[in-house]
Amino acid sequence: MVCIAISAMVGALLIGCNSNNEQPSTAVDNITVDDVKIALTSTDSGVKLSWQRVKGVSFSVYKSLSRYGEYVPVDDNISNGKYTDNAHYCYYRVVAHNRNGETLKIFPDIGEETEMFGNNVYVFSPDDDVAKVKNDFSDIKARMEHAEFDSFRYSFLLKQGEYANDIGIDVGYYTTVAGLGSNPTDTSIRSLSSKNRDTGGGTNINALVNFWRGAENIQVRSNMTWATSQGAYLRAVDIQGDLSLSDGSGYASGGLLADARVSGQVKSGTQQQWLSRNCEWSSWSGNLWNMCFSGVKNPPAGDYPRMKYTVEETSTIREKPFLTFDEIKGYRIAIPAYRQNAIGCSWTGSEGRIEKYIEQDDIYFARADRDSADTVNAAISSGKSVVFAPGVYTFDKTIKVDNNDTVLLGLGIATITPTNGNACLTVTASGVTIAGLLFDAGEKKSDALVYIGTENSTASKANLHDCFFRVGGNYQSAAADTSLVIHADNTTCDNIWMWRADHGNGVGWNVNDGITGAKIYGNNVTAYALMAEHYKGHNVEWYGENGKLFFYQSEIAYDVLNQSDWMDGLRRGYSSLMVDDSVNSFTASGLGVYSNFHNSGIVLDSAITAPAKQGINISHIVTVRLNGNGAIMNAVNDYGGAAGGNQGGLVAHYTKQFEID
C-alpha cells in the first residue's frame, strides 16, 4: 500500500463536525508539553499537522504508510508547530524533545482515518506489523468476550491484500469485521470465528447469547466456526474450507448467512434455526428446528422439518451496501444492484455486484464523541449519506431522513438511543437504506424507535439490513411501545432482530415496557430473517397487502405474570405474528415460534393468527416449548398440533398451508 500523493482528491474530507482547526503556533509561557494537542486538517492536496509551540521544546515528525507500519523520520527540529504533507491516508507520530535532544513525549499516532472514524475503528493493511495487529485483535476480543451490555463498540476494517497466516480474528460483542475491497476475494485472512462463551459459571458453555456482531466482504483461508444467535450476521464471505454454525456441543440460536460461498461443507450442528440466502457451497449437513434456504445453489435434500425448507429463488433483493477503500478516490459506499429471482452469490457471476458508489465527498462521517442529532440532521439535509463510527449516540431529537436514496451505515454495531421520548429515526424519503445499526430504547418511553415512512408520506422502496432493536437490558428501565413501524411500500427487510430483553439490567414485566416489535402497514413489504422476541403483545402485526415473510424466529414473552392479564379478547395470549383481518394477500413460510414461560399455567392459543382467506398462504411452522411450563396450543389459528400441555409434545410441526374455513 502507498500513501496517495494527491491531486485526484476533490474537496476536503467531511469528517464529523469538520476536522480540528489548526492550533495556534505562538509559544505561550504557561504551555507545557502535556498541554499540547496534535491537530490534523485535510486539504485538497494532502494534510496539515499543527500544535501549540512550547518554549525550549522542538518536535520531530515520523511518517508511516499504514497504522502499524514502519515510522520513518520526515521532519526534525520543528519549532513553528506546523508540518505539511502532500499525501493522504498516511499516519504520523510527533515526538517532543528538549534542547539536549532528549525525548519528552511521544504523542499518539494520528492520521486521516483516526480523525475520520475515531479511536474505535482499526484500519489495517497487509503491510502492518503482524505482532501489533495480533495484539489489537487479542486485546479487543478479551475486552468484548463477555461485554454483553457494555458501551464499547469496535470495527475492524481491512484494506485489500493477503494477510499473514498467523493473523486471525475471534469476534466478540459489538464488534464487526469487514474487508474494504469491491469483492470478498480482495481481502484474505487466515481465520475468522465466533466461539462459545461461558454464560453460567463454567456449567453453561454455549453461543445462545452471542448477539451483536458481524463479518462481511472478506475471504477466510481455513475452516471456520461462526457460533452466533440473533443480532448477528455473516455475509459476502468466501470461506475456503468448512463452515460450522455451532461450536462443539454448545447450542446456538439463529442467524443469517447471506451472499456467501463455502468451498467445503456447511455444518449446522446444534444451531437451532438459521436462514441461508443466496449462498453457494459444496454440501450442507445437519438440522434442528427450523433450517431455511432461499436462492441457494445445491440446497440439502429432504422434506421440512426433518431436513430443510427451501425456496428456489429469492424473489427480490439488493445486498447490503458496504464501505470500500480506493487509493485514489478514498472511502466510498458501494451500492449493490437489485436482483430478481436470484440464485447464488451476487459476486461470483458475470452480472456485476455493484450498481454505483456514493463518493467520499457525499458522505458524512459521524462520531459519537462529537456529533449530535442536529449535526447529523444537517448533514442529511445537505444531501449527505452518513457512516456512523462505532459508539453509542444519545440523541434528544429524531434523525430525519428526507432526501431520496440516502444511506445510513453503521460500523461496529453503532447504537442510537433516544433520551427524550423521541424516535431514533424517521424516514420520509424513498430509496433509503438503513444498515448495521442498533436502536436501543431509552429510559423515557418512545412511541416507536424507528418509522420507515409515515402515514402521510410517499416514502417507498426502503432497504433495512442488519438492523437491531432493543428494549431493556442496558438500563435500569427502558421503554418503547413499538420498535419498528413500516408505512413505506415495497420495503425489504434483510436480517432484523427486535428484542424486549429477557435478561440484563432493569428487566421485568412492568419495567422494560415494549408492547409490539413491528407494525407493518406498507404494501409489498418483503422480509428475510425477521426475528422478534418477548414483546408483551403481538411481536409482529402485519396490515399491508402482498406481504412476504421468509424465515421468522420468535420467542413469546417469558415473563407473563398470569393468564388473566394476557388475553387477546377471548383468546389466551397474543399470537406472535398477527395478520390483520383486513389483509387479503400474504405469504409466509419457515416460521418458528417458541415458549419459555417463567410461570406455570400460561397458555398461548395460537402462535400465528391470520384471516382464513384464499390469498393467505402460511406454511411450514414449528412451535417449541422450551421448558416445562404452559403450552402453545396451535400453529396458526386453530390448526396444528400443540407444543406442551396435555395434548402435545415438546415440539410440533405444521408443514401445510392451514385450511380455509
Side-chain angles (χ1 to χ4, degrees), residues 271-330:
Q271 181 62 248
Q272 295 169 334
Q273 55 267 320
W274 191 269
L275 173 62
S276 299
R277 180 184 58 69
N278 295 101
C279 297
E280 304 172 17
W281 51 55
S282 175
S283 62
W284 175 282
S285 171
N287 69 93
L288 219 162
W289 292 332
N290 190 28
M291 294 293 153
C292 295
F293 306 84
S294 176
V296 167
K297 291 185 177 180
N298 195 26
D303 294 327
Y304 184 95
R306 294 313 309 157
M307 269 313 283
K308 52 90 182 181
Y309 181 68
T310 296
V311 172
E312 183 176 349
E313 299 175 335
T314 300
S315 59
T316 180
I317 193 68
R318 187 179 74 182
E319 298 295 343
K320 177 184 176 182
F322 56 98
L323 203 61
T324 67
F325 177 76
D326 182 275
E327 290 189 343
I328 301 300
K329 297 183 178 181

Side-chain angles (χ1 to χ4, degrees), residues 134-152:
K134 290 174 62 178
N135 186 65
D136 271 353
F137 289 154
S138 177
D139 284 352
I140 292 173
K141 174 57 190 339
R143 176 180 294 174
M144 302 311 293
E145 182 175 8
H146 300 288
E148 185 174 357
F149 297 106
D150 213 314
S151 59
F152 290 113

Side-chain angles (χ1 to χ4, degrees), residues 509-522:
W509 188 256
N510 295 314
V511 181
N512 59 323
D513 198 13
I515 307 302
T516 309
K519 295 182 178 181
I520 300 173
Y521 298 96

Side-chain angles (χ1 to χ4, degrees), residues 71 89 341 353 419 443 511 548 578 612:
Y71 284 79
Y89 300 111
N341 303 320
R353 180 189 189 193
T419 61
E443 294 184 296
V511 181
K548 295 180 180 178
M578 184 279 291

Side-chain angles (χ1 to χ4, degrees), residues 389-418:
V392 177
Y393 297 77
T394 52
F395 288 162
D396 61 352
K397 298 177 184 176
T398 301
I399 300 302
K400 297 180 179 180
V401 182
D402 51 9
N403 282 330
N404 291 345
D405 302 319
T406 300
V407 174
L408 304 186
L409 177 62
L411 305 178
I413 317 294
T415 302
I416 299 177
T417 297

Side-chain angles (χ1 to χ4, degrees), residues 241-262:
D242 295 338
L243 170 64
S244 297
L245 301 180
S246 64
D247 185 6
S249 59
Y251 279 101
S253 182
L256 173 75
L257 178 68
D259 201 29
R261 181 172 68 183
V262 182

